Amino acid sequence: MSDVVEKTLTALPSLLSLDSLSGSTTLSSTSKLGNLIRGITELTSKHEEEKLIQRELTSIKEQVSSPNTSTRQMKELMVRAIYCEMLGYEASFSYIHAIKLAQQGTGLEKRVGYLAVSLFLNESHELLLLLVNTVLKDLQSTNLIEVCMALTVVSQMFPKDMIPAILPLVEEKLNHPKEIIRRKAVLALYKFYLIAPNQVQHIHNKFRKALCDKDPGVMAASLHIYFQMIQENPEGYKDLTSSFVTILKQVVGGKLPMDFNYHSVPAPWMQIQLLRILAILGRNDQSSSEIMYEVLDESLRRAEINHNITYAILYECVKCIYTIHPKSELLEKAAKCIGNFVLSLKINLKYLGLKALTYVVQQDPKLALQHQMTIIECLDHSDLLIKRETLELLFRITNAQNVSVIVEKMLEFLRVNKDDYTTIDLVGKVAELAEKYAPDNEWFIETMSTVFSVGGDKMQPDIPNSFLKLLSEGFDSVEEDRKLRLFAVDSYVSLLQGEPGKLPQRFLQVISWVLGEYSYLREELDAVLRLLANLLDMRSTSSETKSWVLMAMTKLCGGGAGVSVIREVCETYGSSLDTVLRQRAQELQHLSQDCELRARVLPRGAGLEPLEVDSSLSFLDGFVSEALAAGAAPYKPPHQRQEELAQTKALSLEPYGLSLPISMSSCSIADRQSPTLLSVSSGLSGESPDLSHKGGTTTLKLDGVKRVWGREGYLSQREPVEEPVHVEVPSPVVSPSQRGGEADRSHSQTPTPTATPQPEQEKQQLASSLFVGLASQSSVCLMGKSESTTQRFRRKARGPVSSPAASEQISNSPVSTPSTANHLLGNNFLDSNITSDLSVSSLESTSQLSRGPAAANGICEVELTESSPALPRDNAVAAAAPAPHQDPDTLKDACLRSHLPAEFSGLCPSDITPLCTNQTLDFLACHLQKEDSVSLVVFIYNSSDSDIQQILLELDSDELEVSCVCGSAVQEARSHSVAVCQYSLTVKRPSVHVEVVGMASYRCPAETPQSARFSYKLPLTSFIRPLTVSTEEYGAMWLDFSHDTKQKLTLRSDGRESLADTLDVLKKKLNLHVVEIIGTEGIVACRLLRDQPCLMHCRLHEGSLSVWLRSPVPDLPDCLMYHCQRALQEH
Amino acid sequence: MRFMLLFSRQGKLRLQKWYTATAERDKKKMVRELMQIVLARKPKMCSFLEWRDLKIVYKRYASLYFCCAIEEQDNELITLEVIHRFVELLDKYFGSVCELDIIFNFEKAYFILDEFLMGGEIQDTSKKSVLKAIEQADLLQEEDESPRSVLEEMGLA
């Protein structure tokens, strides 16, 4: 290597001159790359560079394909190929050779091979399949470095479907004696978790081992996985809170080896990761938060030195403190910290200070007051980023009093901003504030005009939609509405008189609609019509806008207004090549001549009337039946046609590939298919349906967008016509549900006469107008006037500080050890393998006896008398039970079963699982699957000698809807007896396992209130039911579903009937319906309760089963795939 | 971390590492756009950027810009330190590193980066152990290469 030579040179020119003497003639491997690099730097034009690289690539290509090239030369060639790719030239011919090099090379060659592969290919590249074997081999290598390389490449990119192939080997590495290997294995698993969480579900307890690893590096690596998992399911990891706190304490206390220090701060990366985890665990959870207070305080205290890294820790600490259950001392310290950030001269810290302020300002608006002068300064900062963040902060503290100043500032920023992403976001925020807090009509209309001009065609389409909806729906006062509309009309007329060519298309559409609807409020319609006609003549006007304009003219044309203008327009566009425009022009012509019809079709000011849209177009039925009678072919929806085409080819994978455009499938599910409906709506589109779903604060409104043309939308007239003229208005239809609480918008309030201070005036004054109404009691408030704050999006109030004195937290899942139940029942009843059929049937009679009348209601409370088969405290129970040969454990279970409500008799419940237990009460649960529902039954057994009343059970779940079936959630449990609560469960969001988290609070006589927490986990399969469909129906459904997943599964057997066997297993275990098996392919259907279908297509392929799952429900295919895999593995 | 880029003041890409699957075309577009934005910023400006849905953290060392894209909830300051630690590692390995070292030995720079970050997360924060891992790997093939091995060089440095 000529590094040494190069190192002595610091400047390029001298390097070049030296190498021109000696370097070019040598043929050593490095100099070839060196030559290339030098060659490029000498060039002057892009064109020359291109030529040189192409020449280079040709020569590389020649050499790599030559059989005489050694792996060492190959390594050098790969480096050059990587370089060319980095410059932006494609060297795809070398990809396969990179894989070969990784496979055949040793040491550095292999390493370069892997590097090239990881730079050239990404996860989905098909060539990666060829790498799997190499990785497998290297993972098993005895050479540590090769293992390291393999783990590195695996974490960089690995095909999702192939993860199962290497997973066992990677898992095995978790036990490797070398910590570097363990660490890399943990990180590789982390990567797998990110790209295919279902694949690594089963190794959760191994992660726990990694967390306890003696090497801090391995432990730190496992924190990444934990952060992800806890983020997804904080409830499941609450028990680890104290462990994380302990680790953090040790780290902060400097207990780790010096190696982990960074600029004399102990393991900052680890600290930050732990703080992030703690923030999630402590959110809305007082008891967990309490464990953390001490260590957070310590962290704040320790981070003293003035270095970036300590600020990083402080920042994370502050975020954590403000996220978890609040503690005033800590909040004070954190606030001081934020102050230091904001006041810092370092711009990075200032920015983070502003960010932190933005984060906390809703909880603590006074903090913003304290720093108001700094905020004002930042508002005029030369760095746009700082400005932007300040506006974000102001956005959060906006109220009815300071809205005009803040919006002015935001618009100012928007006018200079060039970045689309920011514009879209900020425009949405301005519109939101304007609607929420507008002080008066003029201000509102003018602000929205600026929004439309600045936001242009990039902004979220729901902004104009909701604006027009606001206008058309109006408020309480008719007079106020009239004024608002008139003002809008007037200001738009004057805009059109100016330079309409500069206005964005979206804005022109809004203007056209408003003028069309409300111009009648003013006198001279002729002038308006002329202005609209001018719009049509402008070259920049898009044809979509033109159709809005024509529509507006149609609304205005009555009463002999602007006859000549209209005639002219009709002549021009009556023969337009654009069919939509032609249609509109024809409508205009007809309606302008027929006043009566016009008044009926487009009644003035009736935009608000709800409209019944006959989406099935039943008024055409007569026409259709006539046509059918005349021999026309019946209409078939597109998917049916597709299906019929497919049937001619029997079952194959191909037809499924031809899926329909999304727009079609989205409207095909609810409504009856109708071609006219589709064409009508597409002709109507005032807005393009493919709205950009960009993030930002406007997400709330997005759900209305899809339904813009739904049946709730109003399409301007009452009856969709028997007339030959089919009139539709391109009105910006907004479904009523899109924005709740429209009426109570502050708009209807009396305008607050805020004196608008000039932004150029003194900062003090600006401050007073910006921060007015922030914290009226605060002495810092500069404005004398104090009105109650009207903050509408304050964070949810924190709960009361007091809590049940003793709270116990026990998390149990059916798989975990049942030891908690042991003391209750003397023995471990879970382990006994009962055949539930037997126990249920045998207990049928006894349970009948014991069941009180309350049983029918779902609550059944049983007195523990001698005759009833109650909980087995002694052996006397055996006598009561009819089957004498059962062992005691079974009996105990069976006795609880006897408490099951009557409606479940004959059903087979799951094993009864202990949830949690303490001195007085034991909680147990089981679930039952019914045809159309899943029920959860919670047993509360009172083992004490006193009755316990007012047991309040609250169940909640992220994935499930839990509803109590029994009359009330409050129960009482008599001494030594059992109370039963019954819940019905429905899936909200599919997940591999779903979990119900419960909290019971109760009060023993003469004792403080107590509470207990528990959780109950059940597999998604409990909610799966067969779905009986025909092959045709299956085909139709298949095309409509958008979420899918594919994977290869191992077959159950190799025999002839392997497909049928395998499907049979799945059918039995997962409750699926096998629709049909044709040759090597099979189709299977099931539904998730209630009525969420999932379809499965299986194909035998090279000894394994390719499974393809599809469903309209996101995540369902993935979860089901996981269970299929498990079912087949277990078998 | 989503990706890391190294580019020169002249807008030449020197290193790129992507931690999430991204199409080649998007990569090129993002690199071009980002280079433009970052190079246009003045030295006194904030080292952070909000760009698309990402946060960009960048820092300039001599003629090279180091630029990382992170998620919304990630800590910007610690990312600056990730960059700094990477530079320290390069410096230690090459011995007072300059842009030319990275141009001519970019594969080495990649190896160091891989040893330091894995799957976008920091893997090893200890300077010593990262370099040890690299050295061990280097040893494997230095035997048959030219006598002027990197190791000797390090002895010199």
Side-chain angles (χ1 to χ4, degrees):
Chain A
M1 292 205 183
S2 56
D3 300 25
V4 167
V5 184
E6 285 157 19
K7 197 157 310 297
T8 56
L9 308 163
T10 42
L12 198 59
S14 48
L15 174 91
L16 291 173
S17 59
L18 187 115
D19 275 299
S20 58
L21 296 174
S22 63
S24 53
T25 47
T26 58
L27 284 167
S28 92
S29 58
T30 339
S31 75
K32 272 192 189 159
L33 174 69
N35 279 340
L36 172 64
I37 296 169
R38 270 173 234 121
I40 289 167
T41 40
E42 276 164 7
L43 298 175
T44 47
S45 74
K46 184 84 190 157
H47 179 68
E48 281 179 77
E49 180 187 296
E50 214 165 282
K51 267 200 329 212
L52 181 79
I53 301 282
Q54 289 310 343
R55 221 169 35 233
E56 182 76 16
L57 284 175
T58 324
S59 112
I60 296 176
K61 194 174 183 174
E62 237 166 62
Q63 290 179 59
V64 287
S65 42
S66 141
N68 299 327
T69 313
S70 70
T71 52
R72 191 151 151 218
Q73 286 165 315
M74 195 62 107
K75 177 201 102 188
E76 185 272 325
L77 288 167
M78 278 305 132
V79 172
R80 272 155 65 198
I82 295 174
Y83 193 82
C84 293
E85 282 244 327
M86 187 155 65
L87 290 175
Y89 300 89
E90 200 190 285
S92 52
F93 62 85
S94 58
Y95 298 172
I96 185 77
H97 298 284
I99 290 178
K100 235 161 76 185
L101 185 61
Q103 193 183 356
Q104 295 165 349
T106 52
L108 187 66
E109 295 144 18
K110 187 183 227 22
R111 190 163 203 171
V112 169
Y114 272 135
L115 176 68
V117 171
S118 72
L119 291 172
F120 287 155
L121 310 178
N122 71 31
E123 251 158 49
S124 48
H125 203 287
E126 51 193 0
L127 278 180
L128 269 188
L129 289 179
L130 299 175
L131 194 72
V132 175
N133 256 331
T134 315
V135 169
L136 269 177
K137 206 182 84 205
D138 286 338
L139 279 176
Q140 293 170 76
S141 161
T142 49
N143 183 336
L144 286 188
I145 287 165
E146 283 179 358
V147 179
C148 282
M149 285 185 222
L151 286 172
T152 305
V153 82
V154 149
S155 75
Q156 172 68 28
M157 37 103 235
F158 201 73
K160 205 167 156 184
D161 328 336
M162 295 313 289
I163 289 175
I166 57 160
L167 195 57
L169 282 172
V170 178
E171 267 177 68
E172 195 179 279
K173 295 287 175 284
L174 289 174
N175 298 322
H176 201 276
K178 276 279 184 205
E179 63 271 3
I180 186 170
I181 305 278
R182 292 203 300 275
R183 196 175 62 213
K184 281 178 199 278
V186 169
L187 281 170
L189 289 174
Y190 164 68
K191 182 76 186 189
F192 294 167
Y193 184 81
L194 290 184
I195 56 176
N198 291 342
Q199 312 263 26
V200 289
Q201 290 248 342
H202 62 286
I203 37 178
H204 277 191
N205 51 349
K206 292 201 176 157
F207 295 156
R208 235 168 238 245
K209 217 181 131 211
L211 184 66
C212 305
D213 199 285
K214 60 181 187 293
D215 180 68
V218 182
M219 188 272 285
S222 75
L223 292 180
H224 298 303
I225 299 183
Y226 273 101
F227 179 71
Q228 283 299 330
M229 295 195 300
I230 292 173
Q231 215 173 14
E232 280 155 31
N233 172 25
E235 292 305 320
Y237 298 90
K238 294 275 182 188
D239 56 327
L240 283 176
T241 310
S242 58
S243 314
F244 289 125
V245 168
T246 318
I247 298 174
L248 184 57
K249 249 180 215 160
Q250 289 174 351
V251 174
V252 173
K255 299 271 162 43
L256 292 188
M258 290 293 280
D259 260 3
F260 289 89
N261 282 11
Y262 177 82
H263 294 266
S264 69
V265 175
W269 279 277
M270 227 184 276
Q271 286 196 41
I272 281 172
Q273 197 67 11
L274 285 163
L275 286 169
R276 292 172 72 188
I277 291 176
L278 289 183
I280 306 174
L281 286 171
R283 186 188 293 151
N284 298 329
D285 181 346
Q286 191 183 0
S287 53
S288 299
S289 300
E290 271 163 3
I291 313 175
M292 304 168 193
Y293 293 148
E294 194 194 325
V295 73
L296 289 175
D297 194 46
E298 171 111 5
S299 295
L300 281 181
R301 207 151 34 80
R302 291 256 186 177
E304 281 160 344
I305 54 162
N306 182 15
H307 189 281
N308 233 347
I309 197 77
T310 48
Y311 289 118
I313 296 172
L314 280 178
Y315 181 66
E316 210 60 52
C317 244
V318 167
K319 261 172 55 180
C320 180
I321 288 170
Y322 271 97
T323 313
I324 64 173
H325 189 89
K327 182 179 172 158
S328 54
E329 292 159 51
L330 280 178
L331 286 179
E332 239 166 69
K333 286 183 187 170
K336 221 172 109 197
C337 235
I338 294 183
N340 290 340
F341 274 91
V342 174
L343 295 174
S344 168
L345 292 176
K346 290 182 183 161
I347 190 161
N348 289 347
L349 298 186
K350 202 181 249 333
Y351 168 75
L352 288 181
L354 286 172
K355 268 194 89 115
L357 262 187
T358 313
Y359 186 66
V360 306
V361 79
Q362 279 149 35
Q363 283 177 56
D364 195 358
K366 279 189 216 148
L367 207 53
L369 276 176
Q370 276 172 32
H371 299 294
Q372 45 182 321
M373 290 322 288
T374 321
I375 295 173
I376 302 286
E377 274 161 30
C378 291
L379 210 45
D380 287 325
H381 203 281
S382 58
D383 192 340
L384 276 187
L385 185 79
I386 300 277
K387 252 188 180 170
R388 167 89 182 75
E389 194 53 46
T390 315
L391 290 177
E392 186 74 39
L393 171 62
L394 291 178
F395 169 71
R396 307 268 174 122
I397 58 166
T398 309
N399 55 41
Q401 295 163 57
N402 60 15
V403 64
S404 46
V405 192
I406 290 179
V407 164
E408 182 52 41
K409 286 280 162 196
M410 290 170 117
L411 292 178
E412 222 171 79
F413 180 88
L414 274 173
R415 287 188 195 106
V416 294
N417 178 57
K418 299 226 164 46
D419 172 36
D420 284 358
Y421 208 83
T422 319
T423 302
I424 292 167
D425 182 47
L426 217 50
V427 154
K429 285 182 171 148
V430 173
E432 191 185 327
L433 291 180
E435 281 181 22
K436 243 190 207 156
Y437 301 115
D440 54 56
N441 288 341
E442 287 78 16
W443 183 88
F444 179 63
I445 298 294
E446 271 162 17
T447 305
M448 288 311 285
S449 293
T450 322
V451 164
F452 292 140
S453 346
V454 177
D457 298 323
K458 292 174 290 219
M459 71 184 154
Q460 302 275 15
D462 58 336
I463 295 174
N465 285 352
S466 65
F467 170 72
L468 294 181
K469 182 165 182 270
L470 201 78
L471 270 188
S472 63
E473 283 186 346
F475 312 102
D476 301 335
S477 146
V478 179
E479 181 52 26
E480 198 64 25
D481 290 347
R482 204 189 67 83
K483 276 191 197 157
L484 176 67
R485 291 167 185 164
L486 185 59
F487 185 80
V489 169
D490 283 341
S491 72
Y492 291 160
V493 166
S494 59
L495 270 178
L496 288 189
Q497 281 161 349
E499 284 187 90
K502 285 188 175 164
L503 300 177
Q505 298 301 313
R506 275 270 176 73
F507 192 20
L508 289 177
Q509 291 161 13
V510 168
I511 290 176
S512 315
W513 189 85
V514 172
L515 291 182
E517 283 294 316
Y518 301 118
S519 286
Y520 72 91
L521 292 171
R522 59 180 256 153
E523 296 302 304
E524 324 99 49
L525 287 187
D526 274 3
V528 177
L529 279 171
R530 211 164 306 121
L531 284 172
L532 287 172
N534 285 348
L535 280 184
L536 289 176
D537 294 337
M538 282 186 333
R539 191 169 294 166
S540 55
T541 314
S542 73
S543 64
E544 192 188 332
T545 308
K546 281 181 184 166
S547 92
W548 284 69
V549 172
L550 283 171
M551 203 55 237
M553 295 178 86
T554 316
K555 287 180 200 163
L556 296 175
C557 64
V563 181
S564 61
V565 179
I566 288 172
R567 197 182 322 121
E568 215 171 281
V569 167
C570 290
E571 268 169 27
T572 321
Y573 290 96
S575 55
S576 167
L577 284 180
D578 186 320
T579 48
V580 178
L581 288 185
R582 198 158 65 208
Q583 164 86 0
R584 298 273 169 263
Q586 299 285 358
E587 286 164 16
L588 175 60
Q589 196 171 11
H590 275 278
L591 293 178
S592 66
Q593 284 158 11
D594 188 343
C595 274
E596 202 180 308
L597 177 61
R598 203 197 65 85
R600 245 179 63 198
V601 174
L602 297 165
R604 234 162 223 178
L608 199 61
E609 300 291 318
L611 198 77
E612 292 270 322
V613 177
D614 184 0
S615 66
S616 63
L617 304 182
S618 60
F619 59 89
L620 285 175
D621 284 353
F623 174 78
V624 170
S625 54
E626 255 173 52
L628 284 176
Y635 172 71
K636 283 179 197 142
H639 61 76
Q640 198 181 332
R641 273 175 267 163
Q642 197 70 54
E643 178 61 23
E644 278 168 15
L645 267 177
Q647 272 169 0
T648 57
K649 286 194 255 173
L651 253 182
S652 81
L653 265 181
E654 273 65 48
Y656 302 144
L658 277 162
S659 70
L660 291 169
I662 298 155
S663 60
M664 203 166 267
S665 58
S666 68
C667 62
S668 65
I669 294 168
D671 296 326
R672 210 180 85 185
Q673 279 286 334
S674 115
T676 1
L677 176 69
L678 287 174
S679 64
V680 163
S681 59
S682 60
L684 269 174
S685 307
E687 316 284 338
S688 64
D690 53 330
L691 313 163
S692 53
H693 285 233
K694 298 209 170 115
T697 55
T698 36
T699 41
L700 239 184
K701 305 171 204 161
L702 278 178
D703 54 354
V705 171
K706 253 191 236 158
R707 287 173 284 145
V708 157
W709 303 107
R711 62 177 92 170
E712 291 152 299
Y714 77 92
L715 296 164
S716 96
Q717 68 300 89
R718 229 160 293 227
E719 276 173 22
V721 224
E722 292 96 20
E723 284 83 10
V725 199
H726 192 74
V727 184
E728 301 286 353
V729 183
S731 57
V733 183
V734 187
S735 67
S737 60
Q738 190 171 352
R739 278 190 163 258
E742 204 79 46
D744 64 15
R745 208 159 280 175
S746 64
H747 205 87
S748 56
Q749 294 167 0
T750 43
T752 335
T754 327
T756 318
Q758 298 304 309
E760 289 75 24
Q761 281 176 353
E762 263 181 66
K763 281 176 179 172
Q764 280 286 346
Q765 221 171 332
L766 177 58
S768 64
S769 49
L770 277 178
F771 297 95
V772 61
L774 251 194
S776 29
Q777 310 96 320
S778 163
S779 57
V780 205
C781 183
L782 293 172
M783 279 282 274
K785 194 169 67 175
S786 75
E787 281 182 28
S788 63
T789 52
T790 44
Q791 234 167 282
R792 279 149 202 263
F793 34 96
R794 192 183 280 269
R795 276 189 149 213
K796 206 168 64 185
R798 299 281 188 181
V801 187
S802 67
S803 77
S807 87
E808 207 169 316
Q809 222 179 313
I810 299 164
S811 163
N812 243 329
S813 65
V815 240
S816 68
T817 57
S819 58
T820 41
N822 286 356
H823 87 271
L824 162 66
L825 300 173
N827 270 307
N828 193 344
F829 66 69
L830 255 193
D831 288 351
S832 59
N833 285 321
I834 36 156
T835 46
S836 38
D837 296 30
L838 176 65
S839 61
V840 166
S841 61
S842 60
L843 273 163
E844 198 82 23
S845 51
T846 41
S847 55
Q848 289 296 343
L849 283 173
S850 65
R851 215 173 285 124
N857 297 336
I859 315 169
C860 110
E861 194 203 302
V862 182
E863 288 263 305
L864 195 82
T865 56
E866 281 176 8
S867 61
S868 75
L871 276 185
R873 292 242 117 190
D874 48 22
N875 286 335
V877 180
H885 293 301
Q886 289 174 334
D887 67 274
D889 292 344
T890 316
L891 281 176
K892 285 155 198 165
D893 203 357
C895 289
L896 274 180
R897 279 166 200 273
S898 71
H899 290 282
L900 282 175
E903 60 201 272
F904 296 133
S905 58
L907 285 171
C908 166
S910 67
D911 288 351
I912 296 176
T913 315
L915 297 172
C916 78
T917 186
N918 55 26
Q919 295 87 349
T920 42
L921 291 182
D922 297 285
F923 295 88
L924 303 99
C926 69
H927 63 270
L928 296 104
Q929 302 179 20
K930 287 189 287 188
E931 175 65 30
D932 256 321
S933 63
V934 174
S935 298
L936 176 72
V937 181
V938 179
F939 302 93
I940 308 170
Y941 173 65
N942 179 358
S943 57
S944 74
D945 293 326
S946 48
D947 295 351
I948 294 177
Q949 285 166 348
Q950 293 195 336
I951 305 172
L952 182 65
L953 262 187
E954 285 176 80
L955 265 62
D956 191 28
S957 168
D958 289 343
E959 302 95 2
L960 299 173
E961 298 261 357
V962 184
S963 54
C964 186
V965 181
C966 41
S968 88
V970 183
Q971 295 263 329
E972 71 174 335
R974 303 262 182 85
S975 166
H976 295 293
S977 69
V978 178
V980 179
C981 278
Q982 188 193 336
Y983 297 86
S984 98
L985 308 177
T986 339
V987 178
K988 273 193 295 199
R989 185 168 59 81
S991 165
V992 169
H993 286 100
V994 292
E995 194 174 28
V996 179
V997 185
M999 161 119 145
S1001 49
Y1002 57 95
R1003 183 191 279 273
C1004 303
E1007 269 185 66
T1008 48
Q1010 303 221 336
S1011 69
R1013 283 165 192 273
F1014 51 81
S1015 68
Y1016 187 80
K1017 211 168 171 185
L1018 56 169
L1020 191 72
T1021 42
S1022 317
F1023 297 89
I1024 299 290
R1025 301 286 179 275
L1027 174 67
T1028 322
V1029 288
S1030 67
T1031 309
E1032 290 77 33
E1033 285 163 333
Y1034 179 96
M1037 288 160 79
W1038 181 266
L1039 293 168
D1040 279 342
F1041 297 166
S1042 46
H1043 298 278
D1044 69 344
T1045 185
K1046 286 185 222 180
Q1047 198 168 319
K1048 277 203 176 113
L1049 301 181
T1050 40
L1051 275 172
R1052 205 180 74 81
S1053 59
D1054 299 327
R1056 259 249 207 97
E1057 292 296 310
S1058 53
L1059 179 63
D1061 283 354
T1062 310
L1063 290 184
D1064 206 41
V1065 170
L1066 291 178
K1067 180 182 162 186
K1068 278 189 190 131
K1069 288 207 168 175
L1070 303 180
N1071 225 345
L1072 311 174
H1073 169 71
V1074 179
V1075 181
E1076 197 169 357
I1077 298 178
I1078 303 168
T1080 58
E1081 291 178 52
I1083 52 178
V1084 181
C1086 68
R1087 66 193 165 98
L1088 180 69
L1089 289 176
R1090 304 177 169 132
D1091 299 327
Q1092 298 184 307
C1094 185
L1095 304 180
M1096 177 166 154
H1097 177 276
C1098 315
R1099 197 157 70 109
L1100 278 184
H1101 185 66
E1102 292 171 1
S1104 63
L1105 189 68
S1106 313
V1107 177
W1108 190 357
L1109 284 165
R1110 267 198 181 194
S1111 167
V1113 188
D1115 297 338
L1116 182 55
D1118 281 323
C1119 299
L1120 208 59
M1121 187 66 86
Y1122 170 80
H1123 284 292
C1124 291
Q1125 201 178 351
R1126 284 287 296 271
L1128 293 178
Q1129 272 168 6
E1130 279 165 15
H1131 200 84
Chain B
M1 191 181 293
R2 297 276 194 89
F3 58 84
M4 186 190 243
L5 303 176
L6 263 70
F7 50 86
S8 71
R9 218 169 36 178
Q10 289 79 29
K12 289 253 188 264
L13 189 62
R14 295 303 181 207
L15 210 78
Q16 54 172 341
K17 190 84 185 176
W18 299 77
Y19 293 107
T20 44
T22 318
E24 210 54 47
R25 264 188 47 222
D26 297 337
K27 278 187 194 172
K28 275 185 190 156
K29 192 160 167 260
M30 287 165 93
V31 169
R32 210 171 32 212
E33 250 178 71
L34 255 186
M35 280 206 277
Q36 221 171 24
I37 295 173
V38 170
L39 289 174
R41 288 180 68 83
K42 300 197 179 68
K44 287 274 171 193
M45 283 185 169
C46 200
S47 307
F48 316 132
L49 273 179
E50 278 165 35
W51 181 70
R52 301 193 184 182
D53 57 336
L54 294 174
K55 277 198 299 203
I56 306 295
V57 177
Y58 72 91
K59 193 162 183 190
R60 182 177 155 184
Y61 287 85
S63 56
L64 265 188
Y65 283 86
F66 290 69
C67 178
C68 294
I70 54 174
E71 318 270 341
E72 177 54 37
Q73 79 270 16
D74 288 341
N75 190 316
E76 293 94 339
L77 284 174
I78 199 88
T79 312
L80 270 183
E81 297 312 304
V82 169
I83 294 177
H84 188 73
R85 179 39 65 98
F86 181 45
V87 174
E88 282 180 347
L89 287 169
L90 290 172
D91 201 55
K92 192 97 187 258
Y93 183 84
F94 290 107
S96 127
V97 68
C98 68
E99 192 186 338
L100 289 177
D101 291 319
I102 295 172
I103 300 175
F104 285 93
N105 297 290
F106 64 88
E107 82 274 17
K108 292 266 165 53
Y110 274 119
F111 295 153
I112 294 173
L113 185 60
D114 278 344
E115 213 46 59
F116 175 51
L117 294 174
M118 194 166 155
E121 298 292 345
I122 195 140
Q123 182 200 163
D124 200 336
T125 57
S126 155
K127 228 189 309 194
K128 217 165 71 190
S129 70
V130 171
L131 290 175
K132 209 173 95 192
I134 297 285
E135 278 165 30
Q136 276 174 346
D138 278 349
L139 265 179
L140 268 185
Q141 86 292 323
E142 291 303 337
E143 295 145 12
D144 58 350
E145 283 214 352
S146 63
R148 282 179 299 181
S149 76
V150 180
L151 271 185
E152 272 175 69
E153 225 172 273
M154 296 213 21
L156 289 174

